[in-house]
Structures are given as C-alpha cells and as structure tokens.
Amino acid sequence: MGRFGERMADLGYAAGWNVVRRLPVSLAKAGFGLAADFAAWRKGPGVRQLRRNLARVVPQADETELDELTRQAVRSYARYWHEAFRLPTMDADGIRSRVDLTISGVENLDAALAEGNGAVVALPHSGNWDVPGIWAVGRYGPFTTVVERLKPESLFQRFVAYRESLGFEILSADGGTGSFRLLLQRLRENRVVCLIADRDLSGSGVPVSFFGEKTSMPAGPARLAASTGAALLPVGSWFTEDGWGIRIHPRIRVAHRTEVPAATQALADVFAGDIAAHPADWHMMQKLWAADFEEATFSAEEAA
C-alpha cells in the first residue's frame, strides 16, 4: 500500500469511529451487511483468500456451500468492525453482563491467577476478540496485549487509542526484546497477557499442523509461559445471534523452553476445534498455510 492508500485507510477508520457510533444501530447494521454482501460478490483478493482458507476448515463443503460460508464469514467480519466502531461508547458494564451469560471456563483463568504466576491468554482471529478483553478488564483489571504496527503512524496511534480506551495496555509487535521483557514483568506481577496467536507475523514461528496442513504460529505465548510459570490458556471467541460466545479452555502445560513446540501445536489443535465449530466467525483473509506461500512464490518465479 502506497502513502496515498495508507492515508485513505487512516481517513476511513477515522470516519468509522466518528460517524458509525452516531448512526442508529439498525441503519449501521444494515449498511455493514450490504457492504459485506457486495464485497463477497466482488471477490477481491482478501475474500478469495478467505474462501481458500475456509475450504481447509470445511473440506466437505461443495462450491455452493463454500460460497455461502464465505459470504457469511465476510458478514461476520463486517459485524466485527461495526461493533469495533461502537465499543468505545457502549456500556462496558452492560457488555460484561451479557458476556457473563454465555462465557464458559472462567474457573480456568481464576485458578491460573490464584497460583500467582499470571496467565497468557491466546486467541485466534475469531468473533470479536475485543469483547473478551472488555470482560477481563472488569473482572481482573487492565491486561497487556501486543498489536501489529500499522502504517501510517497516525493509523497505528488511532488503534492504540481505541484499545486503550477499552482498558488495554498496548505494546507494539515491533518492540523486540523490550516488549517481551515488559510482558514477562506483567506476568511476574500476576497479571493477564492477551495475545492473538493464529498468525505468525515474524516469519520465525513454530511449525505446526493446522487442519492437516503445514503452517507456523507464534512461539511467544508458549515461550512466555515457559519462562514465567504462567498458565497458557487458549480462548475461543465467536458471535451469537445477539451477543458473543467465549470459552476459556483448560491450561496447556509448558514447563520448559524445550516444550514450546509441543505447546504451540496443542494451541493450534484447540484453535482448530473452535474454528471448525464456528467457521464463519474466523476472519483470516491472509495467506496462512505454507502451500499458499509456496504457490505464490512459484507463480512469481514463472512470471519472472
């Protein structure tokens, strides 16, 4: 994306946070739904990749079923953004009350913090992953998370301000050892660290099998747990008709750095189970599997 595209993206998100919250909910919801249907019909690169990803999740789906699943997934992603633009002005206590009705596995996080070593909560890009954060802030206090460094800087700062307004402590993914040391410190303070962990942005993740194919996932969650004794807890998130489904899974044991690969594979297996149960709510519109990257490289070499 060039500078003009980056600037337009920044202006678009700024308009979202300033305009959407002022629209009637029914009107904004209808607008996002129509935009999602148009995007699914248009079949741009992100939608085509989403369809390819979903074909791995639901391999038994025929072409018509896969088209409909992709449309529903784009609608789910649009719902995420509709909610994201409204969350800063929504009633946080009301959100937590609604989450309390559907969340399961809270005892796993309570038990982890009772041990005094903190908790590493790992989630995929599924449902509205900000909502579990709002709920956690109300129950346990502020937690720390890491976000991708977006361009331009003004857009990155906009997202930082958004999530800080929800009570999150934000670190940049390009912070290197400084960010990692601060995460270690937060865990030693018996706090919660929350990480989106189904996509390896560094290129140095742990090889895993995911829906029967090779990919890699970040080593960070398991490394943090191994270094501090913190509990590693996978969390599933999805949409319900009028709210959110959240499940805090039992702890994945990782006591030593040598156990990081096995723990990361276990994390991938839990993610796969939740995604398979709610495939339309997995918002993975980027290449994820090694085969897709290899195919892209081969096509580029052919073109050259």
Side-chain angles (χ1 to χ4, degrees):
M1 184 186 295
R3 289 186 179 180
F4 177 76
E6 292 173 358
R7 178 59 179 159
M8 292 304 294
D10 186 26
L11 291 173
Y13 284 110
W17 272 300
N18 286 305
V19 175
V20 173
R21 68 182 69 180
R22 294 182 171 90
L23 294 174
V25 174
S26 58
L27 178 61
K29 184 177 180 181
F32 274 81
L34 288 172
D37 288 345
F38 176 75
W41 171 80
R42 187 169 175 268
K43 296 181 180 177
V47 172
R48 293 197 301 271
Q49 186 60 52
L50 175 64
R51 190 180 190 275
R52 293 188 68 173
N53 293 341
L54 290 173
R56 273 113 165 179
V57 176
V58 190
Q60 71 275 17
D62 61 27
E63 293 299 306
T64 300
E65 292 169 334
L66 191 56
D67 284 341
E68 177 59 20
L69 177 59
T70 303
R71 187 181 76 86
Q72 292 297 330
V74 178
R75 275 188 157 252
S76 174
Y77 191 46
R79 175 176 169 179
Y80 166 78
W81 283 111
H82 176 218
E83 292 183 355
F85 291 140
R86 287 187 175 275
L87 279 177
T89 57
M90 291 174 66
D91 175 21
D93 288 336
I95 292 172
R96 293 172 188 129
S97 296
R98 290 168 65 186
V99 169
D100 282 331
L101 298 175
T102 56
I103 192 170
S104 63
V106 177
E107 67 278 3
N108 294 317
L109 185 48
D110 287 346
L113 295 176
E115 290 185 2
N117 296 316
V120 180
V121 171
L123 305 89
H125 288 83
S126 187
N128 187 335
W129 48 90
D130 292 327
V131 167
I134 292 171
W135 173 85
V137 168
R139 187 177 178 92
Y140 306 105
F143 66 88
T144 306
T145 188
V146 177
V147 299
E148 181 181 0
R149 187 127 204 153
L150 302 172
K151 293 182 179 180
E153 179 66 16
S154 56
L155 179 57
F156 173 70
Q157 293 301 331
R158 204 176 298 282
F159 272 92
V160 169
Y162 159 60
R163 292 200 163 97
E164 286 181 342
S165 76
L166 304 179
F168 309 171
E169 180 184 31
I170 304 300
L171 305 180
S172 172
D174 65 358
T177 57
S179 290
F180 192 77
R181 283 197 297 268
L182 186 55
L183 293 174
L184 292 172
Q185 179 182 330
R186 293 293 180 261
L187 292 170
R188 289 167 180 146
E189 293 167 354
N190 197 31
R191 291 171 60 178
V192 176
V193 166
C194 181
L195 301 173
I196 302 296
D198 59 341
R199 182 173 169 230
D200 176 27
L201 295 174
S202 68
S204 58
V206 176
V208 297
S209 176
F210 193 51
F211 289 101
E213 289 192 43
K214 293 179 181 178
T215 185
S216 63
M217 290 189 180
R223 283 181 59 200
L224 285 167
S227 298
T228 62
L232 175 58
L233 301 172
V235 172
S237 173
W238 57 90
F239 289 121
T240 62
E241 186 66 28
D242 58 354
W244 311 276
I246 300 166
R247 182 182 178 191
I248 304 172
H249 290 270
R251 177 180 188 168
I252 294 174
R253 296 284 175 178
V254 48
H256 190 269
R257 291 285 291 270
T258 57
E259 298 174 4
V260 167
T264 305
Q265 180 63 64
L267 199 61
D269 292 341
V270 176
F271 287 168
D274 283 337
I275 292 167
H278 308 278
D281 292 328
W282 187 44
H283 308 144
M284 185 57 67
M285 304 181 79
Q286 297 83 19
K287 291 183 178 69
L288 184 71
W289 279 275
D292 285 349
F293 288 105
E294 291 165 2
E295 180 180 315
T297 300
F298 179 75
S299 298
E301 289 173 349
E302 272 196 327

